[in-house]
Amino acid sequence: MRPARALIDLDALRANFRLARELGGGRKTLAAIKADAYGHGAIDCARALQGEADAFGVACIEEALELRQAGITTPIVLLEGFFDADELPLIVQHDLWFAVGTPWQVEAVAAFQTTATLRIWLKLDSGMHRLGLSPADFRAAHARLSALPQVGPMVLMSHMARADELDSPRTREQAELFAATIAGLAGETSLCNSPALLGWPDVRSDWVRPGLMLYGANPLPGHPELSARLRPVMTMQSTIFAVREIGVGEPVGYGARFVAERPTRVGVVALGYADGYPQFAPNGTPVVIDGQPGRLIGRVSMDMLTVDLTDLPQAGLGSRVTLWGDAPRLDVLAPLCGVSAYQLPCAVKRVPHALLGA
Ligand SMILES: *Cc1c(COP(=O)(O)O)cnc(C)c1O
């Protein structure tokens, strides 16, 4: 069997969740598990957090229905709402909560007749300019929706565009615009994503919405000291299944991106970019080989990659190689490869998951 594995440490997930809840002041916590829990397995993560999370956040009804079909009964919020009004009967049937963040969604809700109570997260555009109603539209929509018999108490939400930049005034400006816009309106509030929770202790709301930090990656690249508080959930690993020695001047792999400057022992690892490892990870990218620091050499192939074993004489056939996990951390590896810590686990595919702490 091919040895590539993504180990998913559910105890680490729970520990990170508890940290997020604590940072949020112990208030309500929505765990963002969209995109298959950022590649970690939405059903497994939901089961691990069921009973602790106050809600789960997903991107679309398809993701929500998978969770319901797996027996998850916790409230689920469609963070982008519905994409078509014909989803509304299903939303009611499966007892889903949903964001309303664009005028046509307001119209669709107003036109939808039901005896059920709709649970809306009304979204303000406080400066990100992607989704959310403008401040003027927001107050009008709140009044209109509140007056409808089918609409229950709403959560008032907004989303931060630059909470990972601690020297930018934008996060505070967004929080101030949010506070001014919702003044006097009924409803719980929800503002903080992971970087806001970790970086902006005075920006708080009734509901916090951590995503990336739950998976143990630090969303504030400029603040590595925060990493010690977050336990990596995913360990990407495989083993060496071929070894060769090459002489000075000999290349390795596609495009001869690595050329040996000394006699070099090359290990071939069963994991490549089709598994989600970044194709353009540079020569020297850190890996861990049987617990020892090692390095990638040569361009990553679709199903394989190559590592330097010259300084690791004990390592060879069958040696275990960790591509990311406790070391190297996702948030360290990603910038070396020109991608974000969000993108890497989301790209994982083909690799079987193995659950720890289930
Ligand atoms: C994905 C998402 C989050 C979580 O963001 P992180 O940066 O991963 O913590 C929070 N709120 C909304 C609306 C989202 O879509």
Side-chain angles (χ1 to χ4, degrees):
M1 215 203 294
R2 190 167 183 255
R5 287 290 174 280
L7 311 184
I8 306 295
D9 182 348
L10 299 172
D11 289 328
L13 176 74
R14 284 185 282 258
N16 297 329
F17 176 86
R18 286 170 198 151
L19 173 65
R21 193 174 51 195
E22 183 191 318
L23 291 172
R27 281 173 267 190
K28 295 184 183 174
T29 308
L30 171 150
I33 58 169
K34 61 197 180 193
D36 203 23
Y38 297 38
H40 293 69
I43 291 172
D44 296 326
C45 291
R47 286 188 178 137
L49 294 176
Q50 200 168 16
E52 294 203 48
D54 299 288
F56 294 119
V58 298
C60 55
I61 195 163
E62 290 83 352
E63 293 182 346
L65 295 187
E66 275 183 34
L67 294 170
R68 284 285 184 257
Q69 273 146 24
I72 302 297
T73 54
T74 306
I76 300 175
V77 182
L78 308 178
L79 293 168
E80 291 151 49
F82 47 88
F83 297 91
D84 193 303
D86 64 12
E87 293 168 32
L88 281 163
L90 271 179
I91 284 175
V92 166
Q93 185 188 335
H94 294 279
D95 195 17
L96 305 175
W97 301 2
F98 58 99
V100 167
T102 185
W104 73 261
Q105 288 175 330
V106 177
E107 296 305 319
V109 169
F112 179 59
Q113 308 284 323
T114 177
T115 52
T117 301
L118 303 177
R119 297 297 306 270
I120 292 175
W121 287 45
L122 192 61
K123 186 164 188 175
L124 171 72
D125 173 14
S126 60
M128 179 136 173
H129 299 336
R130 186 184 59 182
L131 213 55
L133 301 166
S134 70
D137 287 352
F138 186 89
R139 291 191 69 91
H142 188 277
R144 176 147 179 234
L145 294 172
S146 302
L148 296 171
Q150 69 269 36
V151 174
M154 286 183 276
V155 175
L156 316 179
M157 73 180 293
S158 193
H159 196 52
M160 297 299 187
R162 296 175 67 180
D164 55 336
E165 299 171 52
L166 298 190
D167 50 2
S168 162
R170 282 305 277 161
T171 298
R172 200 167 310 286
E173 288 165 11
Q174 283 195 254
E176 282 165 6
L177 180 57
F178 179 74
T181 305
I182 68 162
L185 299 183
E188 294 177 323
T189 57
S190 179
L191 277 180
C192 297
N193 56 5
S194 301
L197 268 172
L198 287 159
W200 298 87
D202 55 342
V203 173
R204 287 296 174 264
S205 49
D206 298 318
W207 282 86
V208 295
R209 307 191 305 267
L212 187 70
M213 69 174 288
L214 299 178
Y215 309 105
N218 181 352
L220 300 172
H223 292 265
E225 74 283 358
L226 291 172
S227 300
R229 307 186 69 184
L230 299 166
R231 285 174 54 186
V233 172
M234 185 188 290
T235 300
M236 257 300 239
Q237 66 181 32
S238 192
T239 60
I240 292 174
F241 73 104
V243 176
R244 76 178 58 246
E245 316 240 356
I246 58 171
V248 174
E250 295 288 344
V252 175
Y254 288 117
R257 195 189 64 182
F258 175 85
V259 177
E261 290 173 356
R262 57 175 181 168
T264 297
R265 240 175 112 234
V266 181
V268 184
V269 181
L271 196 130
Y273 64 78
D275 302 296
Y277 193 82
Q279 183 178 13
F280 297 109
N283 293 331
T285 297
V287 298
V288 170
I289 303 172
D290 284 342
Q292 304 297 314
R295 62 186 198 122
L296 176 91
I297 52 175
R299 199 200 282 174
V300 174
S301 303
M302 186 179 288
D303 313 312
M304 289 173 270
L305 55 81
T306 39
V307 295
D308 188 353
L309 300 179
T310 315
D311 298 325
L312 299 169
Q314 310 296 323
L317 289 178
S319 285
R320 174 169 291 170
V321 180
T322 301
L323 290 314
W324 69 72
D326 286 330
R329 295 180 55 98
L330 258 182
D331 42 52
V332 170
L333 175 67
L336 296 175
C337 301
V339 297
S340 78
Y342 288 83
Q343 215 182 330
L344 276 184
C346 285
V348 171
K349 55 181 192 296
R350 184 167 69 182
V351 181
H353 287 196
L355 300 181
L356 310 174

